[in-house]
Amino acid sequence: MYRKFVSGVAALALIGTVSALAQQPASITIVNPGGPYLEATLEAWGKSFTEKTGIKVKGDSPQSLPKIQQMVGAKNVTWDVVEVPPVFTLRYCDTLFEKLTPGLVDPNRVNAGFGNECGVPDAGYANIMLYNKTKFPNGGPQNWADFFDFKKFPGKRGLWDGAEGVNLEIALLADGVAPENLYPLDLDRAFKKLSELRPHIVFWRTGAQSTQMMESGEVDMIMAWSSRAYPALKNGAPFEPVWNQHIIYNNVLAIPKGAPNKQASEAYIRNALEDKQQARLTELYPVTPALIGANPKLDEAGMKVFAGTPERAKSAIRLNLKWVADHAEEIQKRWVEWLNS
């Protein structure tokens, strides 16, 4: 009863905030990676916002840091709310992104470590290991040390072609570094460990590629985003998720610096972070709600890759995104050099 009362009050506050605008915009534009995910956010978050406020929500994609830099630099910002990696708002708070009004979301109800003054956690996923049950009928790798052990578990490994926030961490975990001692990352040690596995790696560059790798059996095990593992499992790929040492990741909602409709945009963000809207998005697209306690109704494949249960959250590896953001250029430079070596 209390939660229903709070939701009702929040809805009234949302309507009051927007209706108080001197010139309520006819529409706002939200931006994320696009495709089915953009359609899901428009359905789960956009429709309810329009019903409450009368403001139409338009979608655009893909979000792009260079595009945001160009818009802000030219003082011609046409995007209102963007979903971006949290390292963007950590690096460019108050330069490319607006500082947000405090209290848009209760910090105790979202995953810690992702939001900051310029970004609110909105939806996430887990970087998880999955293995082919047909290849390993008696049980496959159970941690990143196993994933890197190509003698004990022979076969091709699928790995994301990127470094920030996952590959260096899993290499160090595989090399025996305790989760609490990951940061500051020992880049030399991480790349040395990755080099041991290099002949056994098949890189994927898009989430769709990782799904296809599982469905085709091109790899015997893979590090994949939980949201992209879902369609593979739904389509019958014989892969088993391993909920151990997975890395939770949340994107954030942010407002580009100089965006024309900040008050309406903040109201949109507040609405997106309500229980009902958070759960509905997960039902439409297999992300993990940022809001702790959101309770989506999922099918069997959805539950297999849902990172939001208390047990799975407890065994997750937590990133130090501030350290990653501060060293992003160095990490990317080292990654490109390693790939081309």
Side-chain angles (χ1 to χ4, degrees):
M1 178 65 71
Y2 175 74
R3 180 162 291 178
K4 288 182 179 178
F5 172 76
V6 171
S7 296
V9 171
L12 290 172
L14 179 70
I15 296 167
T17 297
V18 179
S19 62
L21 290 170
Q23 290 184 326
Q24 177 173 304
S27 66
I28 60 171
T29 299
I30 66 162
V31 189
N32 65 33
Y37 180 62
L38 177 58
E39 294 304 316
T41 53
L42 289 171
E43 174 68 26
W45 300 346
K47 277 190 175 181
S48 61
F49 180 73
T50 301
E51 289 169 0
K52 293 174 182 176
T53 65
I55 300 173
K56 292 183 179 179
V57 180
K58 299 178 180 179
D60 197 5
S61 66
Q63 89 283 52
S64 159
L65 184 62
K67 182 71 178 287
I68 295 170
Q69 290 172 322
Q70 181 184 17
M71 283 185 178
V72 174
K75 299 186 185 306
N76 183 27
V77 179
T78 58
W79 290 347
D80 292 293
V81 180
V82 294
E83 181 173 337
V84 295
V87 292
F88 286 10
T89 58
L90 284 165
R91 293 176 69 187
Y92 301 110
C93 188
D94 206 30
T95 55
L96 292 182
F97 301 100
E98 295 279 358
K99 286 189 175 182
L100 302 174
T101 301
L104 286 184
V105 62
D106 181 351
N108 295 316
R109 291 213 59 202
V110 294
N111 289 323
F114 294 97
N116 71 327
E117 288 182 294
C118 292
V120 172
D122 69 316
Y125 56 89
N127 297 286
I128 57 172
M129 180 199 317
L130 302 99
Y131 67 86
N132 190 324
K133 294 184 291 184
T134 304
K135 177 67 179 287
F136 303 107
N138 298 319
Q142 295 301 306
N143 51 47
W144 294 115
D146 287 348
F147 188 88
F148 277 69
D149 191 341
F150 52 85
K151 293 181 180 178
K152 185 178 179 181
F153 297 100
K156 288 295 182 182
R157 276 86 166 141
L159 202 65
W160 174 53
D161 179 8
E164 280 189 16
V166 56
N167 284 342
L168 303 179
E169 284 83 354
I170 66 175
L172 291 171
L173 290 166
D175 205 39
V177 177
E180 62 271 19
N181 296 328
L182 279 173
Y183 298 94
L185 296 178
D186 185 332
L187 298 184
D188 291 338
R189 183 174 177 180
F191 280 107
K192 181 180 179 182
K193 189 66 177 178
L194 282 167
S195 294
E196 295 175 8
L197 200 65
R198 183 70 177 272
H200 309 276
I201 296 174
V202 180
F203 288 106
W204 53 267
R205 291 172 176 79
T206 68
Q209 283 181 324
S210 67
T211 302
Q212 181 59 35
M213 283 181 178
M214 285 181 272
E215 292 183 357
S216 67
E218 181 182 352
V219 295
D220 302 295
M221 63 192 76
I222 190 169
M223 188 290 293
W225 303 327
S226 55
S227 57
R228 295 308 309 177
Y230 172 76
L233 271 57
K234 185 75 173 171
N235 292 334
F239 275 73
E240 183 70 22
V242 177
W243 290 104
N244 181 30
Q245 297 185 330
H246 52 285
I247 297 175
I248 298 289
Y249 197 89
N250 267 121
N251 285 328
V252 297
L253 293 177
I255 300 173
K257 188 77 172 176
N261 304 304
K262 183 179 179 183
Q263 198 169 354
S265 297
E266 289 192 337
Y268 173 86
I269 293 172
R270 188 181 294 111
N271 178 68
L273 266 290
E274 291 180 359
D275 289 79
K276 185 177 179 181
Q277 282 73 259
Q278 285 276 294
R280 183 59 181 149
L281 178 62
T282 299
E283 292 165 357
L284 294 170
Y285 193 92
V287 292
T288 297
L291 195 66
I292 297 168
N295 190 26
K297 296 181 176 68
L298 302 175
D299 59 18
E300 183 180 354
M303 282 307 302
K304 269 182 168 282
V305 297
F306 182 58
T309 68
E311 297 79 11
R312 291 170 182 174
K314 192 181 300 183
S315 60
I317 303 297
R318 300 295 174 183
L319 298 172
N320 182 335
L321 286 174
K322 179 67 168 64
W323 192 93
V324 173
D326 289 345
H327 296 81
E329 291 182 9
E330 180 186 5
I331 289 171
Q332 182 59 24
K333 180 175 180 291
R334 290 286 301 269
W335 178 259
V336 172
E337 289 173 350
W338 179 77
L339 277 182
N340 295 324
S341 63

